[in-house]
Amino acid sequence: MKIGALVLAASLALPVTGSLAGDGSLDGDGLRKAISGKTVFLNVSGFELPIRYAANGRMSGKMSTMAASFSRGDGSSDTGKWWVSDGQLCQQWNSWMNGKSYCYKLTQKGAHVQWVRNDGRSGTARIGG
């Protein structure tokens, strides 16, 4: 499985903590505050992929040794940039997902965040400190 597929799968499972208790869309400043300086844990094929969203708009991700063993060619870690545009979380990895930029609409569902990517793919995740 390629890392891009793992990142995509991970983007399907993001549970929330702290100030995200409640339901509803995350957008604009609320979205920025929800992830800035935080780590988002994507559930990818039974593994968690942590993605750190720095306040300066940079991001980094690193797969566990086990998860990386299932990927081919893209590397076990990557960096990129993130931003909020039109109420969505947008991001672009340097090599994962072929370096393409994607935007995600996030909706809080209790302790999880559900996302829908601009190409129709969807999933859940959790947000940690």
Side-chain angles (χ1 to χ4, degrees):
M1 176 183 299
K2 295 193 66 104
I3 287 184
L6 282 176
V7 171
L8 169 64
S11 301
L12 302 175
L14 297 172
V16 241
T17 63
S19 66
L20 297 179
D23 289 344
S25 292
L26 295 173
D27 56 21
D29 287 339
L31 173 55
R32 197 172 286 104
K33 288 176 186 176
I35 67 163
S36 183
K38 306 265 183 12
T39 300
V40 172
F41 297 89
L42 299 178
N43 182 352
V44 180
S45 300
F47 299 98
E48 280 198 329
L49 173 64
I51 300 173
R52 180 76 179 167
Y53 290 89
N56 67 359
R58 303 298 303 159
M59 63 181 190
S60 60
K62 183 169 175 62
M63 283 188 229
S64 69
T65 304
M66 181 65 87
S69 70
F70 290 106
S71 67
R72 293 183 300 239
D74 292 327
S76 64
S77 64
D78 198 6
T79 59
K81 60 185 178 179
W82 72 273
W83 64 97
V84 174
S85 178
D86 294 326
Q88 298 183 71
L89 168 64
C90 300
Q91 61 185 40
Q92 180 177 22
W93 293 101
N94 290 326
S95 62
W96 287 354
M97 301 178 80
N98 297 318
K100 294 181 182 176
S101 59
Y102 291 95
C103 294
Y104 302 81
K105 177 151 182 56
L106 303 180
T107 304
Q108 185 176 344
K109 300 281 188 178
H112 292 82
V113 173
Q114 185 171 16
W115 58 266
V116 177
R117 198 167 74 180
N118 56 343
D119 65 358
R121 297 199 182 222
S122 62
T124 62
R126 71 179 175 91
I127 301 174

